[in-house]
Amino acid sequence: MKPLIGTSFKMNLTSTEVRRYIEVLGPLVEPLTACDMFILPPFTAIWAARECLRGSRVAWGAQDVHHEAHGAHTGDVSAPMLVDLGCTFVEVGHSERRRDHGESDEAIALKVNAVLEHGMTPILCVGEPTRRRTTEAADYVSRQLLSTMHRIPVQMRGQVVIAYEPVWAIGVGSAAADPQHVETMHAAIHGVLDGANPRVIYGGSVDATTAAPILGQAHVDGLFVGRAALDPVEFAAIAGIAR
Ligand code: PEP
């Protein structure tokens, strides 16, 4: 399988800005056939991504979803609504949603199942909250992962993309995790989900400098990029590292 290189814009970029972003990104990544790519704009700009990316090699999706298909859930967005906008990837359980919206592993599992039931690919984020020894981090993440994954039908588990995102490595003022730490964690995640064989991608302060040594690790199946990918030229440079 090709490496998977993606980004979430988080709460950044209007639909007008997303259009401009794709105008720059599109020609830069069209020749990069060695990787699969996705972008996750805010809900308000998914329609613009669909308009600009249709027929291109970059997929698009959403940063969250409600687990119900419809109903009295003010402000929420459902899986069928995302399918209608051509989404193929949906991020679930990012640490900022766990922190800001109190999302539990159980609630996250409901969302993962909703995404799978509607034929899209969930990107399930996991990661230890603070820097700690790799063995302890692996224990934490294994428990967190299984707490969600044991609620997913066995035959569907391989379709879930796991994003390993150590919380301490995410966001302004943080640095990417050491490639050896990432490799050990990814190997542990693959071990825990033995038999399912999902893609496991790394996220946390990836940029054009840190991408290569991390992507070069044996158990790293791709990268999930935040801040650095808000610059389409840098995002294209990161994708260009995948061979
Ligand atoms: C993230 O929050 O998922 C992320 C990868 O962010 P950043 O690259 O900005 O640390």
Side-chain angles (χ1 to χ4, degrees):
M1 234 189 282
K2 293 179 186 179
L4 180 62
I5 312 291
T7 181
S8 158
F9 295 155
K10 303 196 181 185
M11 197 174 70
N12 294 296
L13 306 191
T14 64
S15 57
T16 308
E17 289 166 336
V18 167
R19 292 172 73 108
R20 274 196 227 114
Y21 180 101
I22 295 169
E23 271 166 30
V24 178
L25 181 74
L28 295 175
V29 300
E30 215 43 45
L32 304 181
T33 52
C35 65
D36 295 327
M37 293 186 73
F38 67 84
I39 67 168
L40 310 180
F43 287 133
T44 50
I46 294 175
W47 68 272
R50 177 178 67 166
E51 203 174 276
C52 302
L53 289 173
R54 219 191 313 238
S56 83
R57 50 181 314 282
V58 181
W60 62 95
Q63 301 171 21
D64 184 43
V65 66
H66 194 280
H67 70 271
E68 300 275 8
H70 49 78
H73 301 287
T74 302
D76 280 316
V77 171
S78 73
M81 294 170 183
L82 298 178
V83 170
D84 180 60
L85 285 173
C87 293
T88 50
F89 288 92
V90 183
E91 181 179 13
V92 175
H94 188 278
S95 59
E96 287 153 11
R97 290 208 60 86
R98 293 178 191 255
R99 181 195 68 201
D100 297 346
H101 300 272
E103 291 189 2
S104 64
D105 293 334
E106 193 179 355
I108 289 164
L110 290 173
K111 293 180 182 215
V112 170
N113 278 321
V115 173
L116 289 168
E117 276 162 22
H118 288 87
M120 299 178 289
T121 300
I123 303 164
L124 169 61
C125 301
V126 294
E128 72 279 14
T130 52
R131 198 188 276 271
R132 59 193 74 184
R133 290 217 314 263
T134 307
T135 45
E136 288 164 20
D139 279 353
Y140 181 97
V141 168
S142 299
R143 260 184 279 115
Q144 186 186 43
L145 188 58
L146 287 175
S147 172
T148 296
M149 291 300 272
H150 86 258
R151 296 178 165 100
I152 314 298
V154 177
Q155 72 280 10
M156 307 288 268
R157 290 181 191 165
Q159 295 171 40
V160 180
V161 171
I162 310 297
Y164 168 59
E165 301 208 319
V167 181
W168 50 268
I170 289 175
V172 176
S174 305
D178 175 62
Q180 195 48 57
H181 176 83
V182 176
E183 169 58 11
T184 307
M185 293 299 293
H186 281 226
I189 291 168
H190 275 289
V192 164
L193 299 178
D194 192 24
N197 202 23
R199 272 165 154 176
V200 184
I201 65 178
Y202 169 79
S205 299
V206 170
D207 58 22
T209 309
T210 53
I214 294 176
L215 197 56
Q217 302 300 314
H219 290 88
V220 175
D221 305 314
L223 298 169
F224 198 12
V225 190
R227 283 159 296 151
L230 287 171
D231 173 357
V233 176
E234 181 151 6
F235 187 40
I238 294 167
I241 287 163
R243 274 167 218 292

